[in-house]
Amino acid sequence: MSGAYLGGLKESLTGNPEARLVFLCNFEVEHTWAHNYIGLPMPKLSSAPTTVQRMEELGALLAGSGDVICLGDPLDPRFKRYATNLGFQLPAELVVPRGEPGASTGERILASPGTLGHLADLADGRTYLMPMGTSATEQKISELTGLPLAAPDSDTMERVNGKIYGRRLVDELGIRPVPGECCETVDELTAAVRRGLDEGVPLIVKESYGVSGKGLIVLDTPAKAERLLRMVEQRAARTGSRAIHVVVERFLAKQCDLNYQFTIDRAGGVHLDFVKEAQTSGGVHLGHVMPTRLGASHLAELEDTAARVGKRLYEDGLFGVVGVDAILGKDDTLYPVLEINARLNMSSYQGPVTERFLSSGAALAKHYTLDLERPVRFHEIESVLGPLAPRGPGGAGAVITCFGTVNAEAHRRPPFEGRLYTLLFAQDRDALTALDAEVRNALGAVSTKGEIR
């Protein structure tokens, strides 16, 4: 059986709340969508760094007992026992054989006839492939195995996930935009940057398919702006192409960042799932706080925006989960659409955990960064956080949601960074802040430096 959150997701995506989903949590999908677009002249990171790949384990607490999750590495047995003791019914694991170095789990599936055969055996008319987002890789897996996608096709998802597409949709619907411009040529970028400099405000230049602080540059001085424009011109001269796909936005003084999720069912119905405050730094996602402190008028505006954006996306062929970033300005002005992420997002994976433990009060989703000299075993984490675990549904405490990312970079020369993903629950925000401090202090016993970020 599925919980209400997962059951509702299944019904929207497949029409059957008891469908079986095969989760393929391809967090690197934006890198694939970006291949056909020209971004900023900046060094590019690996398309699927180890930590990002191990984030696929977040899907284990979203999936249900009748589902399947595809993994590059098996879940830690002690983490599985920990999650089961907290009341989660975990999915079956399909561990994919290792492939080429740096290959994503999806690419490893395509390279494994045995895995493709196993997935084909699951095709029974009620089982669907559930990627975080569909690229050509996941679409090929669907075609080869006969597992229908519980998400739109690759072309549709690529088209609607670009930041340029999102800004134009906002303009079309008459939604209050974050001041800025779309740029598809070097000349358009130059003009947009010069206009921004004339206004004397910092600018943010974002690649159309950048994600989590990557493919983003803040122009807070004229010198930085001129350096960027010079690099773009040099690349254009070298390649003979003046194409570029970025947005230029004005920096806004804000009270907080927001994230909300809605789901479009296959008939076009739109349901607002939740609204959260997002914690970010330099464009990098750090976590979420829930519930928000928004007033009724702002919440109503977000609900109206979700309905209008969802309807327009559906007309463009999209159904499924949509996460939207928004901003509440210092002057209390709401900018309802900063960015559209028409795929599963970090908030999506938090659904069943918050459903179980957030009956009232407040919650904080975040990851802690540990500096490590050696791999850490799960029991070491559990021993220091165990006293802070919730004592049953609706209880206060800290829940570990992903452990695989802690040792994902252990192959590097020490010290290396590990990430521990968690959800914290408390009676109010003050108690949440105190619990966060307790978690940091407890994890200090595991981190080499004794400091947690």
Side-chain angles (χ1 to χ4, degrees):
M1 290 289 290
S2 301
Y5 176 81
L6 179 58
L9 182 65
K10 290 180 176 183
E11 185 164 21
S12 294
L13 299 179
T14 72
N16 177 9
E18 294 302 323
R20 177 169 58 181
L21 297 182
V22 178
F23 284 87
L24 179 53
C25 306
N26 52 329
F27 276 84
E28 74 284 350
V29 67
E30 276 90 354
H31 298 287
T32 305
W33 291 333
H35 285 170
N36 297 322
Y37 303 89
I38 308 300
L40 295 168
M42 300 163 58
K44 304 299 180 185
L45 299 178
S46 167
S47 62
T50 312
T51 298
V52 174
Q53 279 195 263
R54 293 302 293 270
M55 287 171 65
E56 65 190 3
E57 294 185 14
L58 286 164
L61 299 188
L62 171 58
S65 59
D67 298 322
V68 178
I69 184 169
C70 300
L71 298 169
D73 294 276
L75 295 172
D76 183 278
R78 287 178 178 264
F79 171 72
K80 290 168 65 175
R81 184 163 62 247
Y82 164 87
T84 300
N85 288 341
L86 285 176
F88 295 101
Q89 297 180 329
L90 300 181
E93 296 174 60
L94 179 56
V95 180
V96 184
R98 296 194 177 278
E100 292 293 322
S104 68
T105 299
E107 291 166 338
R108 288 159 64 173
I109 290 174
L110 288 179
S112 171
T115 304
L116 288 170
H118 185 93
L119 290 173
D121 290 341
L122 297 177
D124 57 3
R126 59 173 288 272
T127 302
Y128 296 77
L129 182 64
M130 180 71 253
M132 180 170 175
T134 310
S135 73
T137 297
E138 293 71 42
Q139 189 160 321
K140 187 68 173 176
I141 293 171
S142 172
E143 293 167 357
L144 291 176
T145 62
L147 288 174
L149 286 165
D153 62 81
S154 175
D155 288 344
T156 298
M157 295 204 80
E158 179 181 311
R159 183 173 67 254
V160 304
N161 273 284
K163 293 179 178 61
I164 290 176
Y165 172 94
R167 284 198 62 87
R168 288 177 176 162
L169 181 149
V170 165
D171 289 341
E172 176 189 329
L173 296 180
I175 295 168
R176 183 183 305 109
V178 173
E181 303 176 51
C182 299
C183 304
E184 294 184 282
T185 69
V186 171
D187 298 316
E188 289 176 350
L189 173 62
T190 300
V193 169
R194 299 229 184 276
R195 277 191 289 271
L197 291 177
D198 288 342
E199 294 176 13
V201 296
L203 303 174
I204 305 173
V205 184
K206 303 175 184 176
E207 294 180 342
S208 193
Y209 288 88
V211 62
S212 193
K214 302 177 183 67
L216 174 156
I217 186 168
V218 177
L219 304 180
D220 51 6
T221 67
K224 280 188 180 180
E226 294 301 333
R227 184 161 57 248
L228 173 64
L229 295 180
R230 186 166 58 249
M231 292 170 64
V232 168
E233 284 287 356
Q234 290 171 345
R235 182 179 64 184
R238 186 175 65 253
T239 63
S241 171
R242 297 187 70 77
I244 194 167
H245 302 93
V246 299
V247 299
V248 179
E249 295 174 344
R250 307 298 188 267
F251 185 86
L252 294 174
K254 59 192 177 185
Q255 293 184 43
C256 64
D257 291 288
L258 300 165
N259 172 262
Y260 58 100
Q261 177 178 296
F262 59 87
T263 304
I264 309 168
D265 65 36
R266 294 212 181 207
V270 180
H271 177 265
L272 180 63
D273 299 321
F274 49 70
V275 182
K276 302 178 181 180
E277 288 185 25
Q279 296 188 325
T280 62
S281 177
V284 178
H285 171 81
L286 299 178
H288 293 107
V289 180
M290 58 206 94
T292 70
R293 290 169 290 190
L294 293 179
S297 62
H298 284 144
L299 289 171
E301 186 173 355
L302 290 180
E303 187 162 10
D304 176 69
T305 300
R308 296 167 64 195
V309 171
K311 181 176 183 295
R312 184 64 186 84
L313 288 170
Y314 184 74
E315 291 170 357
D316 252 1
L318 188 90
F319 66 91
V321 172
V322 180
V324 183
D325 295 333
I327 291 176
L328 182 63
K330 278 281 189 185
D331 61 357
D332 220 34
T333 299
L334 179 65
Y335 298 88
V337 181
L338 170 65
E339 187 174 309
I340 297 171
N341 295 300
R343 51 162 174 75
L344 296 184
N345 54 83
M346 288 297 290
S347 287
S348 308
Y349 295 100
Q350 298 159 10
V353 185
T354 54
E355 181 178 61
R356 183 166 184 78
F357 293 106
L358 185 61
S359 57
S360 62
L364 168 65
K366 67 174 295 181
H367 70 261
Y368 297 91
T369 301
L370 290 73
D371 293 293
L372 302 171
E373 292 285 345
R374 58 170 179 79
V376 174
R377 296 182 179 181
F378 184 77
H379 77 84
E380 296 177 77
I381 301 290
E382 188 178 17
S383 66
V384 296
L385 292 187
L388 301 177
R391 301 304 179 205
V399 177
I400 300 167
T401 57
C402 182
F403 172 70
T405 47
V406 170
N407 297 314
E409 302 297 328
H411 59 284
R412 299 184 182 277
R413 179 181 299 176
F416 63 90
E417 289 188 354
R419 287 189 203 166
L420 181 70
Y421 285 84
T422 65
L423 262 163
L424 278 55
F425 301 91
Q427 62 184 9
D428 54 37
R429 289 202 177 208
D430 289 341
L432 203 57
T433 299
L435 177 59
D436 179 29
E438 287 187 82
V439 172
R440 286 174 178 272
N441 183 60
L443 291 175
V446 178
S447 181
T448 302
K449 295 182 179 178
E451 297 176 356
I452 304 299
R453 289 171 283 142

